[in-house]
Amino acid sequence: MSGAPTPPIRVLLVDDHPLMRRGIAGVLEDEPDIAIVAEADDGFKAQERYFDLLPDVTLMDLAMPRCGGIEAIRAIRARDPQACIIAVTTYAGDGQVQRALEAGASGYVLKSSLGTGVAELVRAAHAGRRVLAPDLAQRLTQARPEQLTARERDVLALVAQGLGNREVARELGIAEETVKGYLSNVLQKLQASDRTHAVVIALRRGMLD
């Protein structure tokens, strides 16, 4: 006498591009052990769908309007520490990889590498394995000593908006000398010649949105 059939892996698909969602859905719909239970096009809707349905695996785009993927991952994991979420993006900057993993992502994959392999990624994440391309893992390990702290990112993000040290200090409620200290650390970590150079490097590496 055979046992009951294994229920399919329930997937929430989050991306603000309908064509990308349909492309991934088209691949997964052919897999008998995987079922897409809902879709969302921004981080706020992703949170609503997640807590309504509690999917087994969530494929989460990072660059979305209103609420980005990293913010959504952080919010979901705060309420459900066991949530299995794969960050999906077009950008391979090690800073963005690190931020996604710090937020609680179970893995990080590039849209260009999904293709027909997306089903295996879903199965691997559902089985508890970290989904991270080898080249991204190597880059992340090499870059780890140079990662910025959350406060350093806050300071640099305001600098990127054109604010001076005094304005940054006012925005963050800290002393101007403290801002200078953070910027000194940022320049050293990024090996930047000045604050503008630091912003360029941080944007290229995905440390800033």
Side-chain angles (χ1 to χ4, degrees):
M1 183 176 179
S2 60
T6 302
I9 301 170
R10 302 166 66 253
V11 175
L12 168 61
L13 182 54
V14 185
D15 196 293
D16 63 325
H17 293 97
L19 289 178
M20 177 59 68
R21 293 201 308 272
R22 291 318 310 156
I24 296 175
V27 174
L28 295 181
E29 285 168 352
D30 291 334
E31 303 295 330
D33 61 331
I34 297 175
I36 297 177
V37 294
E39 298 182 14
D41 59 9
D42 68 46
F44 289 131
K45 292 179 183 176
Q47 295 173 57
E48 294 176 4
R49 301 288 189 277
Y50 182 88
F51 290 110
D52 282 345
L53 301 167
L54 296 177
D56 299 310
V57 177
T58 299
L59 292 171
M60 180 79 73
D61 184 24
L62 295 188
M64 296 182 292
R66 296 210 308 147
C67 176
I70 289 177
E71 183 181 349
I73 293 171
R74 189 177 292 116
I76 290 171
R77 291 274 298 186
R79 291 177 57 187
D80 182 5
Q82 302 305 314
C84 179
I85 306 173
I86 303 174
V88 183
T89 184
T90 57
Y91 189 63
D94 59 85
Q96 193 173 58
V97 179
Q98 182 67 33
R99 290 166 62 205
L101 296 179
E102 287 176 352
S106 305
Y108 186 108
V109 299
L110 300 179
K111 291 182 180 180
S112 60
S113 67
L114 285 176
T116 57
V118 64
E120 287 305 316
L121 295 176
V122 168
R123 295 185 185 105
H126 184 246
R129 298 194 296 273
R130 171 165 283 189
V131 179
L132 191 65
D135 59 330
L136 292 179
Q138 182 179 11
R139 187 181 309 168
L140 181 62
T141 300
Q142 292 172 342
R144 201 175 189 87
E146 300 176 355
Q147 290 299 322
L148 304 183
T149 66
R151 183 55 98 183
E152 288 167 351
R153 287 198 298 266
D154 291 342
V155 169
L156 194 57
L158 292 173
V159 169
Q161 295 175 28
L163 275 62
N165 290 353
R166 183 174 300 177
E167 295 168 304
V168 172
R170 188 182 304 116
E171 285 288 329
L172 298 179
I174 58 180
E176 187 174 349
E177 287 301 315
T178 303
V179 171
K180 292 179 181 178
Y182 281 128
L183 284 175
S184 177
N185 291 340
V186 168
L187 294 183
Q188 182 177 7
K189 287 183 177 183
L190 300 185
Q191 298 180 2
S193 56
D194 55 39
R195 55 202 287 149
T196 301
H197 188 206
V199 169
V200 171
I201 293 172
L203 288 170
R204 186 175 66 240
R205 289 180 54 181
M207 293 176 174
L208 299 177
D209 294 327

